[in-house]
Structure formats: structure tokens, C-alpha cells
């Protein structure tokens, strides 16, 4: 069975929390954080992010909205092998998780792609600034 996990960015509290339960009938999430009970939050109070099912090179779970360092090794007709280093954001699009960098979208489980989570778009937006 595929493991599914969510986290939520609580907009007013400016805190990332683990989602314990989701009530789809009322669009509310029940959150906890750092061994404390946080409570239920309504649809306009949070941004929901799903775990991709993958971990980075350090064993950290990769979620939507994570900012990642990317190393991409590839071969083509011009290069025997090249390593590209960049940063990108994890997104869910067209039924798959992907990372956009250098103007391209790559599925996060693509061959030659190595990821390291360095932050997320809510707590560390400065990491995306040029």
C-alpha cells in the first residue's frame, strides 16, 4: 500500500505542521507540531502539501513546495557526461511530482537526478532569489 502524508502551512501562524486528519466534508485539517496539539483549521487558513513518497540524499522526506538543490548528470550527443547544479521547487502537475529548473520540468524520480531539500517556499522564499 502506498503511504500518503500531508503537511500544512498555517497562514496566520506562519508555521509548518504535520496533518493528522483531513475532513473532506468541511475542508478542514487537523494539525500537530513539535509534540503539541494545534487543532482544526478551515480551508482559507492553510496550504496543503503532499509528500512525494521520496526522500532526498539525506533521508529527508520531499514534499510539494520544497526548495531543492539539484544535481543532474546527463549524456547527449554533445557531451559524454555533464553535471548540472541548480535549485528548483517541487510541484504536482499532470498527475506527477516534478521539479522545475533551468527552464525545464523534470519528474523527480528521473534517472540522473539527485535532490537535497534545503527549505520550502513558505519559510525560505529567499532561497529562490537570484
Amino acid at each position: 500500500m502506498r503511504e500518503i502524508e500531508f503537511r500544512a502551512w498555517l497562514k496566520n501562524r506562519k508555521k509548518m505542521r504535520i496533518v493528522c486528519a483531513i475532513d473532506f466534508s468541511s475542508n478542514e485539517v487537523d494539525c500537530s507540531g513539535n509534540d503539541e496539539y494545534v487543532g482544526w483549521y478551515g480551508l482559507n487558513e492553510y496550504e496543503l502539501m503532499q509528500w512525494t513518497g521520496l526522500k532526498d540524499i539525506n533521508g529527508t522526506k520531499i514534499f510539494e513546495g520544497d526548495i531543492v538543490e539539484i544535481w543532474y548528470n546527463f549524456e547527449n550527443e554533445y557531451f559524454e557526461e555533464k553535471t548540472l547544479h541548480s535549485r528548483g521547487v517541487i510541484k504536482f502537475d499532470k498527475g506527477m511530482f516534478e521539479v522545475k529548473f533551468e527552464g525545464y520540468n523534470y519528474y523527480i524520480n528521473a534517472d540522473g537526478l539527485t535532490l537535497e531539500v534545503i527549505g520550502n517556499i513558505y519559510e525560505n522564499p529567499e532561497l529562490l532569489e537570484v
Side-chain angles (χ1 to χ4, degrees), residues 56-114:
D56 74 355
I57 59 173
N58 299 314
T60 303
K61 290 181 177 180
I62 303 172
F63 282 85
E64 288 178 86
D66 278 341
I67 300 170
V68 293
E69 288 278 338
I70 303 156
W71 291 269
Y72 187 61
N73 296 315
F74 62 94
E75 295 180 24
N76 64 29
E77 61 189 79
Y78 304 108
F79 302 101
E80 287 184 24
E81 184 176 321
K82 181 179 179 183
T83 301
L84 177 65
H85 179 255
S86 189
R87 286 186 180 170
V89 176
I90 303 297
K91 297 184 178 192
F92 186 77
D93 190 37
K94 299 179 186 117
M96 297 194 74
F97 292 101
E98 61 185 16
V99 60
K100 182 175 183 173
F101 69 97
E102 301 294 321
Y104 297 97
N105 293 335
Y106 291 90
Y107 296 116
I108 62 172
N109 58 349
D111 289 339
L113 197 65
T114 302

